[in-house]
Amino acid sequence: MSQPTPDLDHVDVTYVANLARIELSAAETEKFQGELDDVLAYIHQLNELDLEGIEPMSHPHPRENVLREDVPVEAPDRELLLNNAPARVQDLIRVPQMMEDA
Amino acid sequence: MSILAQQNLRELQALLESGACSSRDIVTSVAEQIQTVDGDIHAYLEADTEAALVEADAADARRAQGEKGPLLGIPVAIKDLLNVKGQSCRCASKLLEGFVSPYDATSVAKLRQAGAIPFGRVNMDEFAMGASTEHSAYGVTRNPWNLEHVSGGSSGGSAAAVAAHTAIVSLGSDTGGSVRQPASFCGCVGLKPSYGRVSRYGLTAFASSLDQVGVLSKTVADAADTLSVVAGHDPRDTTSDPIGVPDYAAALGEDLKGMKIGIAEEFFGEGVDPEVAASVRKAIDHCVSLGAEPVAVQFPHLKYAVSIYYILAPAEASVNLSRFDGIRYGNRVEADDPVSMMCKTRDAHLGDEVKRRILLGTYVLSSGYYDAYYVKALKARALIKQDFDKVYEQCDVLMSPVAPTTAYKIGAGAQDPLAMYLGDICTIPSNLSGGCGLSVPCGFSQAGLPIGLQILGPAFAEERILRAGHAFEQSTDWHLKQPGSFS
């Protein structure tokens, strides 16, 4: 799906739902359209702010390069992890075919 | 004579230490209380009494060996997004039906080390998105004070269980107010520690720069004791802070003399119910009568907090929830190709509020919108932090309402997501800044619903807000009031 021309007042719900990997029904798309446009209309209030020269704050207490010693630590049990997959085949997780046959 | 489940944590500690009761007695009493009242409240998604009794016996054995500790032998209800090894962890979502936790969250592991018993999975809004538990895929949790009203959220199950005495204490999580607001709605204590104070390892991520594990309890002292157990640095969460854990119980002894309480009129603005505002102002006056000094402060950017949050939290959520793709966890809708499988799985098994936030978050992060929304919100977030920095230059703590209203009727807010989002205005700022916050009962509306006083402090100043909350609580009797049908 091609990227739509930026429109700051309306969410292109169909385009965004595809990016988010959610298959919406027509009714859902219409409902979310109205609700999300309402939220956008509200958050446009941020345009009132003069944000020139302000550093974006992505984290409450910024920290860099948190490292640990390169030593093995206990990891969750593999069996327990695999058992949570919806479709397990031996030690693999089954998914629909991804590539055409060669 | 009240039953054990109705006692608070400190009271039970004393009974356990004197030998007047065992951990088995307490778990049994809590299980009976669940049996009696949770059919009406629906705080619990599940509670395995047999397993809890085995752990209770182990705790009693530890005590017999001479071990002591604030949580030894105490059952703790766990919000359904914290992993407890061997228990289900569905985040109140259909998508995670059947998921069994392969490991303990660090906060849960710390509870176990202290001899506490993780007992029961309590309800929440799906993936912690919502403020009423109406967005749980497993039914709403009702308010113990009035069953027609919501318990708040997203940690509504955690709060309602404590209020209905089906839990002694509980763990919740707070991303934009999800511990403090349900505590306020249900008339119990809710503590949101500073970002980085408690490890997030094993807490299913909603918005990683905002999420924090919190405590719901019957008294401030109980919250302090529980925090002292779960707090601390964890190498498995690189955002957990290496700063040492102080003795929170020791902070409770001090009175309010000389404490400077900031009051920002912005927190009492448009939309705040006059009954709520009056109750909170009266509570602040009471603190002043105890020796605190009121200081008028400004919080000029408060009105932008909801906008900032509803860009950043959905953005982070849209990324965090991309892992729920039908491949590794829970439910799947089968299809011929992987993308259809993901799209169908996520449509079928995620609720409306979660979809709404994923869509909004995906939109603000998408090409062409990133600077206009996401980066702008990050810059505005810095202004919220600046407001707090200026406030805390003038005072020790900031006091305000927790929520603009008391608990509303079930179904009343469902039709208007934006109106629901605006209800988070008082709690969101401390998540954006990384500070700490406490909700303490401070009154009731005419209709008999609880009102909470919010006490905010800077990052890693939990001692201050606990000290203020404890002093207020101990000189009032709001925390002793019981919901009629459950006392």
Side-chain angles (χ1 to χ4, degrees):
Chain A
M1 205 176 294
S2 67
Q3 188 195 320
T5 320
D7 176 350
L8 296 173
D9 294 317
H10 303 286
V11 178
D12 185 336
V13 175
T14 308
Y15 172 72
V16 170
N18 182 56
L19 290 179
R21 297 287 184 254
I22 303 175
E23 184 180 289
L24 297 178
S25 67
E28 280 182 307
T29 304
E30 195 187 323
K31 184 168 87 82
F32 288 133
Q33 184 72 60
E35 290 167 351
L36 294 175
D37 286 352
D38 284 351
V39 175
L40 282 195
Y42 179 78
I43 64 185
H44 278 152
Q45 64 160 209
L46 292 184
N47 293 329
E48 299 164 18
L49 292 168
D50 177 10
L51 298 168
E52 192 64 35
I54 294 172
E55 272 299 301
M57 177 182 167
S58 57
H59 205 272
H61 321 302
R63 207 163 279 132
E64 277 177 32
N65 294 342
V66 180
L67 304 173
R68 66 168 174 86
E69 291 299 311
D70 186 15
V71 291
V73 292
E74 207 182 318
D77 184 89
R78 193 179 64 147
E79 275 302 300
L80 298 180
L81 294 171
L82 281 165
N83 281 343
N84 275 318
R88 178 181 176 178
V89 181
Q90 292 166 357
D91 287 344
L92 303 170
I93 294 171
R94 183 176 59 74
V95 292
Q97 185 172 357
M98 295 207 182
M99 284 169 284
E100 299 293 327
D101 292 328
Chain B
M1 164 86 189
S2 58
I3 59 169
L4 288 173
Q6 288 170 330
Q7 311 290 310
N8 65 42
L9 173 61
R10 284 264 169 114
E11 289 165 343
L12 291 172
Q13 287 167 21
L15 292 174
L16 284 165
E17 286 211 13
S18 71
C21 79
S22 66
S23 173
R24 171 171 272 270
D25 296 335
I26 296 170
V27 169
T28 303
S29 177
V30 168
E32 282 171 3
Q33 181 75 352
I34 293 172
Q35 196 68 36
T36 309
V37 305
D38 200 55
D40 288 332
I41 305 274
H42 190 50
Y44 281 84
L45 297 177
E46 51 186 72
D48 185 345
T49 305
E50 289 311 308
L53 285 171
V54 171
E55 292 187 52
D57 290 343
D60 285 331
R62 281 167 69 170
R63 187 174 295 278
Q65 296 291 312
E67 195 176 326
K68 285 181 181 169
L71 288 179
L72 181 60
I74 302 292
V76 179
I78 309 291
K79 186 177 181 180
D80 196 36
L81 81 177
L82 278 161
N83 283 276
V84 178
K85 189 174 180 179
Q87 295 187 8
S88 79
C89 182
R90 295 179 289 185
C91 301
S93 179
K94 290 283 180 206
L95 198 138
L96 283 176
E97 207 150 39
F99 181 84
V100 179
S101 295
Y103 62 91
D104 277 339
T106 297
S107 52
V108 170
K110 281 174 175 276
L111 288 179
R112 285 197 203 276
Q113 281 157 20
I117 299 144
F119 179 35
R121 314 284 313 165
V122 279
N123 200 14
M124 55 187 278
D125 289 291
E126 184 178 4
F127 289 110
M129 297 176 193
S132 65
T133 74
E134 290 168 296
H135 303 284
S136 166
Y138 301 98
V140 69
T141 296
R142 294 172 182 274
N143 193 307
W145 292 89
N146 185 330
L147 297 175
E148 303 292 306
H149 289 248
V150 299
S151 55
S154 65
S155 308
S158 304
V162 168
H165 299 298
T166 54
I168 310 303
V169 290
S170 60
L171 293 189
S173 66
D174 191 314
T175 306
S178 279
V179 162
R180 290 161 286 163
Q181 183 258 27
S184 175
F185 278 15
C186 291
C188 62
V189 172
L191 170 63
K192 181 203 99 71
S194 310
Y195 185 84
R197 181 77 284 181
V198 180
S199 169
R200 294 182 296 110
Y201 180 75
L203 169 74
T204 310
F206 161 12
S208 302
S209 82
L210 303 162
D211 295 342
Q212 183 61 202
V213 175
V215 179
L216 296 102
S217 60
K218 300 178 188 184
T219 67
V220 175
D222 291 1
D225 286 355
T226 309
L227 179 63
S228 68
V229 168
V230 297
H233 178 247
D234 175 14
R236 290 186 145 128
D237 172 7
T238 56
T239 63
S240 72
D241 205 283
I243 189 172
V245 180
D247 182 352
Y248 293 116
L252 302 177
E254 298 174 52
D255 62 23
L256 284 184
K257 288 199 181 64
M259 183 179 266
K260 288 183 176 160
I261 297 176
I263 302 131
E265 282 306 316
E266 291 87 349
F267 282 86
F268 296 85
E270 195 191 339
V272 177
D273 185 317
E275 273 190 296
V276 170
S279 238
V280 170
R281 287 188 196 277
K282 213 173 149 197
I284 296 171
D285 288 346
H286 183 76
C287 291
V288 172
S289 77
L290 296 174
E293 184 190 327
V295 182
V297 295
Q298 270 85 48
F299 208 105
H301 297 101
L302 181 69
K303 67 172 177 175
Y304 301 104
V306 172
S307 292
I308 298 165
Y309 180 85
Y310 280 96
I311 293 171
L312 299 182
E316 295 186 23
S318 71
V319 178
N320 277 326
L321 270 67
S322 64
R323 67 180 57 125
F324 301 115
D325 52 11
I327 295 177
R328 288 157 290 171
Y329 320 97
N331 266 320
R332 173 191 292 183
V333 176
E334 294 290 354
D336 291 337
D337 68 279
V339 172
S340 305
M341 183 207 76
M342 288 178 204
C343 290
K344 287 178 195 298
T345 296
R346 286 160 69 83
D347 182 47
H349 296 304
L350 293 175
D352 278 358
E353 186 55 33
V354 174
K355 284 180 192 167
R356 203 152 32 231
R357 297 207 196 182
I358 290 175
L359 293 171
L360 185 57
T362 305
Y363 171 77
V364 299
L365 290 177
S366 65
S367 174
Y369 301 95
Y370 186 83
D371 289 327
Y373 289 111
Y374 185 66
V375 174
K376 194 173 284 174
L378 289 178
K379 289 181 176 179
R381 180 183 193 175
L383 296 179
I384 298 283
K385 176 74 164 57
Q386 278 178 22
D387 281 3
F388 270 124
D389 289 346
K390 284 182 193 149
V391 161
Y392 294 132
E393 280 169 15
Q394 302 163 70
C395 61
D396 300 306
V397 298
L398 185 69
M399 290 193 180
S400 78
V402 176
T405 66
T406 53
Y408 41 87
K409 275 203 163 160
I410 292 168
Q415 300 313 313
D416 187 355
L418 181 59
M420 180 178 81
Y421 299 166
L422 293 173
D424 300 341
I425 186 152
C426 298
T427 46
I428 280 174
S430 73
N431 297 88
L432 293 173
S433 70
C436 56
L438 184 69
S439 174
V440 185
C442 75
F444 288 86
S445 66
Q446 290 285 330
L449 289 160
I451 297 170
L453 166 69
Q454 179 171 241
I455 307 174
L456 296 177
F460 307 109
E462 281 83 1
E463 290 156 291
R464 263 188 238 175
I465 59 171
L466 291 167
R467 171 188 159 197
H470 180 71
F472 173 77
E473 172 196 86
Q474 290 303 305
S475 65
T476 57
D477 60 2
W478 302 116
H479 66 294
L480 300 174
K481 307 266 188 223
Q482 307 287 333
S485 34
F486 304 103
S487 53

